[in-house]
Amino acid sequence: MRNIPFLNLKQINGQYQSEINTAICRVAKSGWYLMGQENKIFEQKLASYINANHVIGTGNGLDALVLIFRAYMELGILKKGDEVIVPANTYIASILSISENNLTPVLVEPDLTTFNINPENINASISQKTKAILVVHLYGQVCAMDKINAIAEANKLLLIEDNAQAIGAEWNHKKTGSLGEAAAFSFYPGKNLGALGDAGAVATKSEELAQTIRAIANYGSSKKYHNEFKGLNSRLDEIQAAILSIKLKTLDRNNNKRRSIAKRYCSGINNSSILLPDIPKDTHSHVWHLFVVRSKERDRLANYLKKNGIETMIHYPIPPHLQNAYSGLCDISLPIAEKIHNEVLSIPLHQCLTDSEIDYIIETINKY
């Protein structure tokens, strides 16, 4: 029997081992471990890659989101109690970043086909208190940005991207992370562009916002021992920055490999009890951070695959409004989000899967 892990980070990062070793030694010998040249280089490379004016490295992806909202608060653009529209089926970090800043998350139902926020439901959720939309390009697929942009412009709302899962995806020939006023990135090890630990970044068009975020992330200080804000400590360290610069060079190639695997899954899996994701007409609009199927027998399917040596994961088993942390939201009705959380199952998809492993996964699922 095969043994196919959901994700083999040792294998994925092993391709870069020599370059990573050199980079770590370079940083160690430099004697400069925070806010140095490696960070500047990576910020410049990422800004160039997505065509952003400014990139600020952060400690992780959640901090990146928190810092965006915090900076808007400090600039007086947002205030306590303002409402932020957010998809109901996102990972809880998206919502944490809103409530952490004493803003009010307004959970909106997703599209059952794409798993992304449904633009039709955004309009119905806008109130006088609504000041921003946080789009999440979930599982690696770009949201319906033409419709969402129109809604944001018509209602004079900030448009912020949670781009934790979709780095490298494109909409209208523009990279995600450059589609709104600001965007947050996560470089958690399992992401398409993953560090060897926690890491994140913010991208923005606004110099004022960038300067404010950079200061807040450095204890609220843009000049040593002069604190303009009650800040945080969230900085991308030099070793992670150096590693990310190495891996950014092959991101497009690896994303293309993910696309080819997704295409094989969609053409090869023909089990009527399993709903497959759609391949978008614009193939560059999806980078397949995750390949998520739906089944009314999700747990039974997962156990079957486990017995046949295929590891799966659930992204995510409990919707945010049913988490204890957000017990105040438990009375709202979100049947589509709940259906998604009850049925989704992620099967292995990464650039190091072999042809025989892909064939085995397809064959095993078809025998279910």
Side-chain angles (χ1 to χ4, degrees):
M1 185 179 71
R2 295 290 193 105
N3 179 23
I4 303 176
F6 181 76
L7 190 62
N8 190 331
L9 290 177
K10 184 177 179 181
Q11 184 181 24
I12 289 170
N13 289 312
Q15 305 168 92
Y16 308 96
Q17 196 63 61
S18 177
E19 288 181 276
I20 287 173
N21 290 345
T22 300
I24 292 172
C25 288
R26 181 175 68 248
V27 174
K29 289 178 180 178
S30 75
W32 196 290
Y33 309 125
L34 285 170
M35 300 174 70
Q37 287 302 309
E38 300 290 350
N39 202 352
K40 290 179 182 177
I41 290 168
F42 174 67
E43 289 178 349
Q44 291 167 357
K45 286 183 176 180
L46 181 58
S48 176
Y49 176 76
I50 66 170
N51 194 27
N53 293 345
H54 307 278
V55 166
I56 306 99
T58 65
N60 55 69
L62 174 57
D63 282 1
L65 279 171
V66 168
L67 285 161
I68 290 170
F69 288 116
R70 175 69 182 280
Y72 279 126
M73 301 278 285
E74 294 288 357
L75 292 170
I77 297 170
L78 294 176
K79 65 180 186 302
K80 183 178 179 180
D82 283 346
E83 293 179 353
V84 180
I85 287 174
V86 62
N89 63 315
T90 184
Y91 182 56
I92 201 167
S94 309
I95 298 167
L96 286 171
S97 69
I98 299 168
S99 59
E100 175 68 17
N101 283 286
N102 295 308
L103 300 165
T104 302
V106 176
L107 276 58
V108 171
E109 288 272 55
D111 182 300
L112 193 56
T113 303
T114 65
F115 303 115
N116 279 332
I117 193 167
N118 189 330
E120 304 304 321
N121 295 332
I122 293 176
N123 268 322
S125 302
I126 294 174
S127 75
Q128 290 184 340
K129 291 185 177 181
T130 307
K131 301 300 178 184
I133 302 171
L134 176 60
V135 296
V136 182
H137 306 303
L138 198 65
Y139 305 150
Q141 183 170 2
V142 184
C143 293
M145 295 305 294
D146 49 351
K147 295 179 181 179
I148 297 172
N149 269 326
I151 293 169
E153 290 175 8
N155 293 277
K156 298 181 180 179
L157 304 177
L158 292 171
L159 183 55
I160 300 163
E161 295 174 87
D162 181 339
N163 198 38
Q165 299 186 5
I167 186 169
E170 294 181 5
W171 172 80
N172 199 22
H173 305 294
K174 296 178 181 178
K175 289 281 199 302
T176 52
S178 67
L179 306 179
E181 279 77 24
F185 294 77
S186 169
F187 306 119
Y188 180 78
K191 295 293 195 291
N192 291 33
L193 179 62
L196 298 192
D198 273 327
V202 173
T204 180
K205 302 171 183 176
S206 167
E207 183 174 354
E208 184 180 33
L209 187 70
Q211 289 177 349
T212 305
I213 289 172
R214 199 177 290 281
I216 294 171
N218 185 37
Y219 298 97
S221 172
S222 56
K223 181 181 179 182
K224 195 168 185 178
Y225 302 132
H226 292 257
N227 299 82
E228 305 151 59
F229 311 103
K230 295 176 182 176
L232 311 173
N233 174 19
S234 182
R235 300 170 297 192
L236 178 61
D237 74 66
E238 289 288 276
I239 287 177
Q240 300 302 343
I243 291 168
L244 289 167
S245 288
I246 292 167
K247 297 179 72 176
L248 181 60
K249 294 183 291 186
T250 58
L251 176 62
D252 285 343
R253 183 181 73 199
N254 291 335
N255 280 345
N256 283 333
K257 179 66 185 295
R258 287 173 177 267
R259 291 180 179 117
S260 68
I261 295 170
K263 188 175 181 180
R264 286 183 63 184
Y265 280 158
C266 286
S267 62
I269 297 173
N270 56 19
N271 190 313
S272 60
S273 69
I274 296 166
L275 291 173
L276 299 173
D278 289 337
I279 297 283
K281 291 180 180 177
D282 178 4
T283 57
H284 283 83
S285 69
H286 207 323
V287 293
W288 300 98
H289 171 59
L290 297 169
F291 190 92
V292 181
V293 302
R294 285 173 47 216
S295 172
K296 292 180 180 179
E297 301 177 342
R298 190 260 309 283
D299 294 340
R300 183 167 171 252
L301 173 61
N303 288 331
Y304 162 80
L305 292 173
K306 183 179 180 180
K307 288 178 181 178
N308 283 276
I310 300 169
E311 185 182 13
T312 61
M313 294 188 72
I314 301 171
H315 297 90
Y316 304 95
I318 305 173
H321 71 286
L322 296 182
Q323 298 280 1
N324 288 338
Y326 288 100
S327 57
L329 299 174
C330 65
D331 292 334
I332 61 177
S333 176
L334 296 166
I336 297 174
E338 290 174 23
K339 181 179 180 65
I340 287 171
H341 286 270
N342 287 332
E343 294 182 356
V344 291
L345 185 69
S346 303
I347 65 174
L349 192 157
H350 58 83
Q351 61 268 27
C352 290
L353 280 177
T354 66
D355 287 341
S356 63
E357 286 174 330
I358 296 165
D359 289 340
Y360 178 73
I361 291 168
I362 293 171
E363 178 185 343
T364 304
I365 290 175
N366 285 341
K367 288 179 178 178
Y368 171 68

PDB file of all heavy atoms in Angstrom, residues 92-125:
ATOM      1  N   ILE A  92     -10.292  31.447  10.436  1.00  0.00           N
ATOM      2  CA  ILE A  92     -10.659  32.391  11.495  1.00  0.00           C
ATOM      3  C   ILE A  92      -9.712  33.582  11.604  1.00  0.00           C
ATOM      4  O   ILE A  92     -10.089  34.647  12.114  1.00  0.00           O
ATOM      5  CB  ILE A  92     -10.765  31.653  12.854  1.00  0.00           C
ATOM      6  CG1 ILE A  92     -11.630  32.467  13.832  1.00  0.00           C
ATOM      7  CG2 ILE A  92      -9.381  31.347  13.404  1.00  0.00           C
ATOM      8  CD1 ILE A  92     -12.043  31.702  15.061  1.00  0.00           C
ATOM      9  N   ALA A  93      -8.493  33.467  11.090  1.00  0.00           N
ATOM     10  CA  ALA A  93      -7.542  34.587  11.165  1.00  0.00           C
ATOM     11  C   ALA A  93      -8.097  35.842  10.494  1.00  0.00           C
ATOM     12  O   ALA A  93      -7.860  36.960  10.976  1.00  0.00           O
ATOM     13  CB  ALA A  93      -6.217  34.198  10.515  1.00  0.00           C
ATOM     14  N   SER A  94      -8.826  35.672   9.403  1.00  0.00           N
ATOM     15  CA  SER A  94      -9.400  36.825   8.708  1.00  0.00           C
ATOM     16  C   SER A  94     -10.300  37.616   9.643  1.00  0.00           C
ATOM     17  O   SER A  94     -10.264  38.853   9.682  1.00  0.00           O
ATOM     18  CB  SER A  94     -10.205  36.374   7.485  1.00  0.00           C
ATOM     19  OG  SER A  94      -9.470  35.498   6.671  1.00  0.00           O
ATOM     20  N   ILE A  95     -11.099  36.906  10.412  1.00  0.00           N
ATOM     21  CA  ILE A  95     -12.064  37.543  11.310  1.00  0.00           C
ATOM     22  C   ILE A  95     -11.373  38.058  12.569  1.00  0.00           C
ATOM     23  O   ILE A  95     -11.708  39.129  13.084  1.00  0.00           O
ATOM     24  CB  ILE A  95     -13.198  36.558  11.631  1.00  0.00           C
ATOM     25  CG1 ILE A  95     -13.922  36.192  10.319  1.00  0.00           C
ATOM     26  CG2 ILE A  95     -14.182  37.133  12.639  1.00  0.00           C
ATOM     27  CD1 ILE A  95     -14.831  35.023  10.413  1.00  0.00           C
ATOM     28  N   LEU A  96     -10.385  37.324  13.060  1.00  0.00           N
ATOM     29  CA  LEU A  96      -9.623  37.777  14.221  1.00  0.00           C
ATOM     30  C   LEU A  96      -9.002  39.151  13.984  1.00  0.00           C
ATOM     31  O   LEU A  96      -8.963  39.992  14.878  1.00  0.00           O
ATOM     32  CB  LEU A  96      -8.509  36.778  14.550  1.00  0.00           C
ATOM     33  CG  LEU A  96      -8.920  35.454  15.190  1.00  0.00           C
ATOM     34  CD1 LEU A  96      -7.727  34.507  15.232  1.00  0.00           C
ATOM     35  CD2 LEU A  96      -9.469  35.676  16.593  1.00  0.00           C
ATOM     36  N   SER A  97      -8.517  39.380  12.764  1.00  0.00           N
ATOM     37  CA  SER A  97      -7.854  40.652  12.474  1.00  0.00           C
ATOM     38  C   SER A  97      -8.823  41.823  12.568  1.00  0.00           C
ATOM     39  O   SER A  97      -8.422  42.952  12.886  1.00  0.00           O
ATOM     40  CB  SER A  97      -7.230  40.616  11.074  1.00  0.00           C
ATOM     41  OG  SER A  97      -8.221  40.593  10.059  1.00  0.00           O
ATOM     42  N   ILE A  98     -10.098  41.570  12.302  1.00  0.00           N
ATOM     43  CA  ILE A  98     -11.124  42.608  12.378  1.00  0.00           C
ATOM     44  C   ILE A  98     -11.486  42.891  13.833  1.00  0.00           C
ATOM     45  O   ILE A  98     -11.441  44.036  14.294  1.00  0.00           O
ATOM     46  CB  ILE A  98     -12.370  42.182  11.568  1.00  0.00           C
ATOM     47  CG1 ILE A  98     -12.000  41.998  10.089  1.00  0.00           C
ATOM     48  CG2 ILE A  98     -13.491  43.202  11.718  1.00  0.00           C
ATOM     49  CD1 ILE A  98     -13.077  41.301   9.271  1.00  0.00           C
ATOM     50  N   SER A  99     -11.844  41.831  14.562  1.00  0.00           N
ATOM     51  CA  SER A  99     -12.266  42.020  15.953  1.00  0.00           C
ATOM     52  C   SER A  99     -11.117  42.482  16.840  1.00  0.00           C
ATOM     53  O   SER A  99     -11.338  43.198  17.816  1.00  0.00           O
ATOM     54  CB  SER A  99     -12.883  40.727  16.505  1.00  0.00           C
ATOM     55  OG  SER A  99     -11.975  39.650  16.446  1.00  0.00           O
ATOM     56  N   GLU A 100      -9.886  42.115  16.510  1.00  0.00           N
ATOM     57  CA  GLU A 100      -8.717  42.558  17.284  1.00  0.00           C
ATOM     58  C   GLU A 100      -8.610  44.077  17.287  1.00  0.00           C
ATOM     59  O   GLU A 100      -8.068  44.667  18.240  1.00  0.00           O
ATOM     60  CB  GLU A 100      -7.451  41.939  16.684  1.00  0.00           C
ATOM     61  CG  GLU A 100      -6.134  42.395  17.293  1.00  0.00           C
ATOM     62  CD  GLU A 100      -5.933  41.925  18.723  1.00  0.00           C
ATOM     63  OE1 GLU A 100      -6.645  40.986  19.150  1.00  0.00           O
ATOM     64  OE2 GLU A 100      -5.070  42.490  19.418  1.00  0.00           O
ATOM     65  N   ASN A 101      -9.125  44.706  16.262  1.00  0.00           N
ATOM     66  CA  ASN A 101      -9.063  46.163  16.147  1.00  0.00           C
ATOM     67  C   ASN A 101     -10.368  46.846  16.555  1.00  0.00           C
ATOM     68  O   ASN A 101     -10.593  48.022  16.228  1.00  0.00           O
ATOM     69  CB  ASN A 101      -8.707  46.545  14.705  1.00  0.00           C
ATOM     70  CG  ASN A 101      -7.243  46.344  14.403  1.00  0.00           C
ATOM     71  OD1 ASN A 101      -6.403  47.106  14.845  1.00  0.00           O
ATOM     72  ND2 ASN A 101      -6.917  45.288  13.657  1.00  0.00           N
ATOM     73  N   ASN A 102     -11.221  46.102  17.279  1.00  0.00           N
ATOM     74  CA  ASN A 102     -12.505  46.640  17.746  1.00  0.00           C
ATOM     75  C   ASN A 102     -13.393  47.094  16.586  1.00  0.00           C
ATOM     76  O   ASN A 102     -14.198  48.019  16.727  1.00  0.00           O
ATOM     77  CB  ASN A 102     -12.297  47.788  18.740  1.00  0.00           C
ATOM     78  CG  ASN A 102     -11.641  47.316  20.020  1.00  0.00           C
ATOM     79  OD1 ASN A 102     -12.094  46.358  20.643  1.00  0.00           O
ATOM     80  ND2 ASN A 102     -10.554  47.976  20.414  1.00  0.00           N
ATOM     81  N   LEU A 103     -13.229  46.435  15.461  1.00  0.00           N
ATOM     82  CA  LEU A 103     -14.119  46.596  14.324  1.00  0.00           C
ATOM     83  C   LEU A 103     -15.122  45.448  14.338  1.00  0.00           C
ATOM     84  O   LEU A 103     -14.932  44.449  15.040  1.00  0.00           O
ATOM     85  CB  LEU A 103     -13.326  46.607  13.020  1.00  0.00           C
ATOM     86  CG  LEU A 103     -12.279  47.718  12.893  1.00  0.00           C
ATOM     87  CD1 LEU A 103     -11.317  47.422  11.748  1.00  0.00           C
ATOM     88  CD2 LEU A 103     -12.948  49.077  12.705  1.00  0.00           C
ATOM     89  N   THR A 104     -16.187  45.567  13.576  1.00  0.00           N
ATOM     90  CA  THR A 104     -17.256  44.571  13.612  1.00  0.00           C
ATOM     91  C   THR A 104     -17.263  43.736  12.348  1.00  0.00           C
ATOM     92  O   THR A 104     -17.487  44.264  11.252  1.00  0.00           O
ATOM     93  CB  THR A 104     -18.627  45.259  13.764  1.00  0.00           C
ATOM     94  OG1 THR A 104     -18.624  46.049  14.959  1.00  0.00           O
ATOM     95  CG2 THR A 104     -19.745  44.237  13.837  1.00  0.00           C
ATOM     96  N   PRO A 105     -16.990  42.425  12.453  1.00  0.00           N
ATOM     97  CA  PRO A 105     -17.053  41.573  11.255  1.00  0.00           C
ATOM     98  C   PRO A 105     -18.494  41.297  10.868  1.00  0.00           C
ATOM     99  O   PRO A 105     -19.336  40.967  11.706  1.00  0.00           O
ATOM    100  CB  PRO A 105     -16.341  40.292  11.706  1.00  0.00           C
ATOM    101  CG  PRO A 105     -16.534  40.251  13.188  1.00  0.00           C
ATOM    102  CD  PRO A 105     -16.582  41.680  13.652  1.00  0.00           C
ATOM    103  N   VAL A 106     -18.796  41.451   9.575  1.00  0.00           N
ATOM    104  CA  VAL A 106     -20.117  41.109   9.044  1.00  0.00           C
ATOM    105  C   VAL A 106     -19.908  39.924   8.101  1.00  0.00           C
ATOM    106  O   VAL A 106     -19.340  40.069   7.011  1.00  0.00           O
ATOM    107  CB  VAL A 106     -20.747  42.302   8.302  1.00  0.00           C
ATOM    108  CG1 VAL A 106     -22.080  41.905   7.677  1.00  0.00           C
ATOM    109  CG2 VAL A 106     -20.931  43.482   9.257  1.00  0.00           C
ATOM    110  N   LEU A 107     -20.365  38.760   8.544  1.00  0.00           N
ATOM    111  CA  LEU A 107     -20.101  37.526   7.803  1.00  0.00           C
ATOM    112  C   LEU A 107     -21.092  37.364   6.656  1.00  0.00           C
ATOM    113  O   LEU A 107     -22.307  37.462   6.849  1.00  0.00           O
ATOM    114  CB  LEU A 107     -20.172  36.326   8.736  1.00  0.00           C
ATOM    115  CG  LEU A 107     -18.908  36.003   9.538  1.00  0.00           C
ATOM    116  CD1 LEU A 107     -18.466  37.167  10.404  1.00  0.00           C
ATOM    117  CD2 LEU A 107     -19.115  34.766  10.413  1.00  0.00           C
ATOM    118  N   VAL A 108     -20.527  37.104   5.468  1.00  0.00           N
ATOM    119  CA  VAL A 108     -21.334  37.015   4.245  1.00  0.00           C
ATOM    120  C   VAL A 108     -21.167  35.631   3.633  1.00  0.00           C
ATOM    121  O   VAL A 108     -20.061  35.090   3.574  1.00  0.00           O
ATOM    122  CB  VAL A 108     -20.904  38.124   3.257  1.00  0.00           C
ATOM    123  CG1 VAL A 108     -21.556  37.923   1.900  1.00  0.00           C
ATOM    124  CG2 VAL A 108     -21.249  39.501   3.816  1.00  0.00           C
ATOM    125  N   GLU A 109     -22.262  35.081   3.172  1.00  0.00           N
ATOM    126  CA  GLU A 109     -22.258  33.741   2.590  1.00  0.00           C
ATOM    127  C   GLU A 109     -21.392  33.662   1.325  1.00  0.00           C
ATOM    128  O   GLU A 109     -21.367  34.607   0.516  1.00  0.00           O
ATOM    129  CB  GLU A 109     -23.678  33.320   2.234  1.00  0.00           C
ATOM    130  CG  GLU A 109     -24.555  33.001   3.438  1.00  0.00           C
ATOM    131  CD  GLU A 109     -24.461  31.560   3.876  1.00  0.00           C
ATOM    132  OE1 GLU A 109     -23.339  31.084   4.144  1.00  0.00           O
ATOM    133  OE2 GLU A 109     -25.513  30.909   3.941  1.00  0.00           O
ATOM    134  N   PRO A 110     -20.723  32.532   1.116  1.00  0.00           N
ATOM    135  CA  PRO A 110     -19.904  32.329  -0.081  1.00  0.00           C
ATOM    136  C   PRO A 110     -20.706  31.779  -1.251  1.00  0.00           C
ATOM    137  O   PRO A 110     -21.871  31.412  -1.106  1.00  0.00           O
ATOM    138  CB  PRO A 110     -18.885  31.293   0.390  1.00  0.00           C
ATOM    139  CG  PRO A 110     -19.663  30.465   1.369  1.00  0.00           C
ATOM    140  CD  PRO A 110     -20.602  31.422   2.071  1.00  0.00           C
ATOM    141  N   ASP A 111     -20.044  31.716  -2.381  1.00  0.00           N
ATOM    142  CA  ASP A 111     -20.559  31.021  -3.562  1.00  0.00           C
ATOM    143  C   ASP A 111     -20.230  29.541  -3.394  1.00  0.00           C
ATOM    144  O   ASP A 111     -19.076  29.179  -3.141  1.00  0.00           O
ATOM    145  CB  ASP A 111     -19.896  31.595  -4.817  1.00  0.00           C
ATOM    146  CG  ASP A 111     -20.415  30.969  -6.097  1.00  0.00           C
ATOM    147  OD1 ASP A 111     -20.282  29.739  -6.244  1.00  0.00           O
ATOM    148  OD2 ASP A 111     -20.912  31.709  -6.956  1.00  0.00           O
ATOM    149  N   LEU A 112     -21.204  28.688  -3.537  1.00  0.00           N
ATOM    150  CA  LEU A 112     -21.010  27.258  -3.295  1.00  0.00           C
ATOM    151  C   LEU A 112     -20.075  26.618  -4.318  1.00  0.00           C
ATOM    152  O   LEU A 112     -19.467  25.583  -4.055  1.00  0.00           O
ATOM    153  CB  LEU A 112     -22.365  26.543  -3.306  1.00  0.00           C
ATOM    154  CG  LEU A 112     -22.429  25.115  -2.768  1.00  0.00           C
ATOM    155  CD1 LEU A 112     -21.903  25.039  -1.341  1.00  0.00           C
ATOM    156  CD2 LEU A 112     -23.869  24.601  -2.820  1.00  0.00           C
ATOM    157  N   THR A 113     -19.941  27.223  -5.491  1.00  0.00           N
ATOM    158  CA  THR A 113     -19.095  26.662  -6.545  1.00  0.00           C
ATOM    159  C   THR A 113     -17.624  27.024  -6.355  1.00  0.00           C
ATOM    160  O   THR A 113     -16.748  26.163  -6.471  1.00  0.00           O
ATOM    161  CB  THR A 113     -19.568  27.154  -7.925  1.00  0.00           C
ATOM    162  OG1 THR A 113     -20.927  26.793  -8.111  1.00  0.00           O
ATOM    163  CG2 THR A 113     -18.727  26.533  -9.036  1.00  0.00           C
ATOM    164  N   THR A 114     -17.355  28.294  -6.054  1.00  0.00           N
ATOM    165  CA  THR A 114     -15.967  28.762  -5.959  1.00  0.00           C
ATOM    166  C   THR A 114     -15.433  28.781  -4.534  1.00  0.00           C
ATOM    167  O   THR A 114     -14.229  28.906  -4.329  1.00  0.00           O
ATOM    168  CB  THR A 114     -15.833  30.176  -6.521  1.00  0.00           C
ATOM    169  OG1 THR A 114     -16.585  31.081  -5.692  1.00  0.00           O
ATOM    170  CG2 THR A 114     -16.346  30.260  -7.951  1.00  0.00           C
ATOM    171  N   PHE A 115     -16.325  28.701  -3.538  1.00  0.00           N
ATOM    172  CA  PHE A 115     -16.001  28.833  -2.117  1.00  0.00           C
ATOM    173  C   PHE A 115     -15.662  30.271  -1.719  1.00  0.00           C
ATOM    174  O   PHE A 115     -15.416  30.546  -0.550  1.00  0.00           O
ATOM    175  CB  PHE A 115     -14.841  27.907  -1.698  1.00  0.00           C
ATOM    176  CG  PHE A 115     -15.079  26.452  -1.967  1.00  0.00           C
ATOM    177  CD1 PHE A 115     -14.293  25.764  -2.878  1.00  0.00           C
ATOM    178  CD2 PHE A 115     -16.100  25.762  -1.332  1.00  0.00           C
ATOM    179  CE1 PHE A 115     -14.501  24.407  -3.135  1.00  0.00           C
ATOM    180  CE2 PHE A 115     -16.324  24.415  -1.580  1.00  0.00           C
ATOM    181  CZ  PHE A 115     -15.524  23.733  -2.482  1.00  0.00           C
ATOM    182  N   ASN A 116     -15.613  31.183  -2.678  1.00  0.00           N
ATOM    183  CA  ASN A 116     -15.288  32.581  -2.384  1.00  0.00           C
ATOM    184  C   ASN A 116     -16.545  33.385  -2.075  1.00  0.00           C
ATOM    185  O   ASN A 116     -17.662  32.975  -2.401  1.00  0.00           O
ATOM    186  CB  ASN A 116     -14.540  33.212  -3.566  1.00  0.00           C
ATOM    187  CG  ASN A 116     -13.075  32.854  -3.571  1.00  0.00           C
ATOM    188  OD1 ASN A 116     -12.482  32.603  -2.528  1.00  0.00           O
ATOM    189  ND2 ASN A 116     -12.464  32.820  -4.748  1.00  0.00           N
ATOM    190  N   ILE A 117     -16.360  34.559  -1.482  1.00  0.00           N
ATOM    191  CA  ILE A 117     -17.471  35.423  -1.102  1.00  0.00           C
ATOM    192  C   ILE A 117     -18.348  35.718  -2.315  1.00  0.00           C
ATOM    193  O   ILE A 117     -17.855  35.947  -3.425  1.00  0.00           O
ATOM    194  CB  ILE A 117     -16.936  36.724  -0.457  1.00  0.00           C
ATOM    195  CG1 ILE A 117     -18.068  37.495   0.234  1.00  0.00           C
ATOM    196  CG2 ILE A 117     -16.194  37.585  -1.463  1.00  0.00           C
ATOM    197  CD1 ILE A 117     -17.570  38.602   1.145  1.00  0.00           C
ATOM    198  N   ASN A 118     -19.653  35.662  -2.107  1.00  0.00           N
ATOM    199  CA  ASN A 118     -20.618  35.883  -3.187  1.00  0.00           C
ATOM    200  C   ASN A 118     -20.920  37.374  -3.298  1.00  0.00           C
ATOM    201  O   ASN A 118     -21.485  37.963  -2.376  1.00  0.00           O
ATOM    202  CB  ASN A 118     -21.905  35.108  -2.893  1.00  0.00           C
ATOM    203  CG  ASN A 118     -22.863  35.104  -4.064  1.00  0.00           C
ATOM    204  OD1 ASN A 118     -22.890  36.040  -4.855  1.00  0.00           O
ATOM    205  ND2 ASN A 118     -23.665  34.056  -4.173  1.00  0.00           N
ATOM    206  N   PRO A 119     -20.570  38.009  -4.415  1.00  0.00           N
ATOM    207  CA  PRO A 119     -20.807  39.454  -4.551  1.00  0.00           C
ATOM    208  C   PRO A 119     -22.266  39.848  -4.360  1.00  0.00           C
ATOM    209  O   PRO A 119     -22.555  40.931  -3.847  1.00  0.00           O
ATOM    210  CB  PRO A 119     -20.339  39.754  -5.979  1.00  0.00           C
ATOM    211  CG  PRO A 119     -19.383  38.666  -6.306  1.00  0.00           C
ATOM    212  CD  PRO A 119     -19.893  37.455  -5.592  1.00  0.00           C
ATOM    213  N   GLU A 120     -23.197  38.971  -4.770  1.00  0.00           N
ATOM    214  CA  GLU A 120     -24.617  39.288  -4.622  1.00  0.00           C
ATOM    215  C   GLU A 120     -24.977  39.448  -3.152  1.00  0.00           C
ATOM    216  O   GLU A 120     -25.852  40.258  -2.805  1.00  0.00           O
ATOM    217  CB  GLU A 120     -25.474  38.184  -5.259  1.00  0.00           C
ATOM    218  CG  GLU A 120     -25.162  37.901  -6.717  1.00  0.00           C
ATOM    219  CD  GLU A 120     -25.271  39.143  -7.592  1.00  0.00           C
ATOM    220  OE1 GLU A 120     -26.191  39.940  -7.371  1.00  0.00           O
ATOM    221  OE2 GLU A 120     -24.428  39.308  -8.502  1.00  0.00           O
ATOM    222  N   ASN A 121     -24.315  38.702  -2.294  1.00  0.00           N
ATOM    223  CA  ASN A 121     -24.608  38.777  -0.859  1.00  0.00           C
ATOM    224  C   ASN A 121     -23.920  39.958  -0.190  1.00  0.00           C
ATOM    225  O   ASN A 121     -24.297  40.349   0.914  1.00  0.00           O
ATOM    226  CB  ASN A 121     -24.198  37.477  -0.170  1.00  0.00           C
ATOM    227  CG  ASN A 121     -25.030  36.295  -0.653  1.00  0.00           C
ATOM    228  OD1 ASN A 121     -26.173  36.458  -1.055  1.00  0.00           O
ATOM    229  ND2 ASN A 121     -24.446  35.105  -0.623  1.00  0.00           N
ATOM    230  N   ILE A 122     -22.890  40.504  -0.834  1.00  0.00           N
ATOM    231  CA  ILE A 122     -22.220  41.679  -0.270  1.00  0.00           C
ATOM    232  C   ILE A 122     -23.173  42.864  -0.257  1.00  0.00           C
ATOM    233  O   ILE A 122     -23.315  43.556   0.766  1.00  0.00           O
ATOM    234  CB  ILE A 122     -20.943  42.016  -1.070  1.00  0.00           C
ATOM    235  CG1 ILE A 122     -19.889  40.920  -0.893  1.00  0.00           C
ATOM    236  CG2 ILE A 122     -20.371  43.359  -0.619  1.00  0.00           C
ATOM    237  CD1 ILE A 122     -18.638  41.137  -1.728  1.00  0.00           C
ATOM    238  N   ASN A 123     -23.819  43.111  -1.378  1.00  0.00           N
ATOM    239  CA  ASN A 123     -24.738  44.247  -1.474  1.00  0.00           C
ATOM    240  C   ASN A 123     -25.785  44.232  -0.372  1.00  0.00           C
ATOM    241  O   ASN A 123     -26.096  45.263   0.228  1.00  0.00           O
ATOM    242  CB  ASN A 123     -25.430  44.260  -2.842  1.00  0.00           C
ATOM    243  CG  ASN A 123     -24.676  45.092  -3.859  1.00  0.00           C
ATOM    244  OD1 ASN A 123     -24.136  46.146  -3.530  1.00  0.00           O
ATOM    245  ND2 ASN A 123     -24.632  44.630  -5.095  1.00  0.00           N
ATOM    246  N   ALA A 124     -26.326  43.054  -0.097  1.00  0.00           N
ATOM    247  CA  ALA A 124     -27.392  42.929   0.900  1.00  0.00           C
ATOM    248  C   ALA A 124     -26.885  43.150   2.325  1.00  0.00           C
ATOM    249  O   ALA A 124     -27.690  43.353   3.239  1.00  0.00           O
ATOM    250  CB  ALA A 124     -28.039  41.554   0.788  1.00  0.00           C
ATOM    251  N   SER A 125     -25.570  43.119   2.518  1.00  0.00           N
ATOM    252  CA  SER A 125     -24.990  43.223   3.861  1.00  0.00           C
ATOM    253  C   SER A 125     -24.429  44.601   4.174  1.00  0.00           C
ATOM    254  O   SER A 125     -23.920  44.835   5.272  1.00  0.00           O
ATOM    255  CB  SER A 125     -23.877  42.179   4.012  1.00  0.00           C
ATOM    256  OG  SER A 125     -24.368  40.876   3.798  1.00  0.00           O
TER     257      SER A 125
END
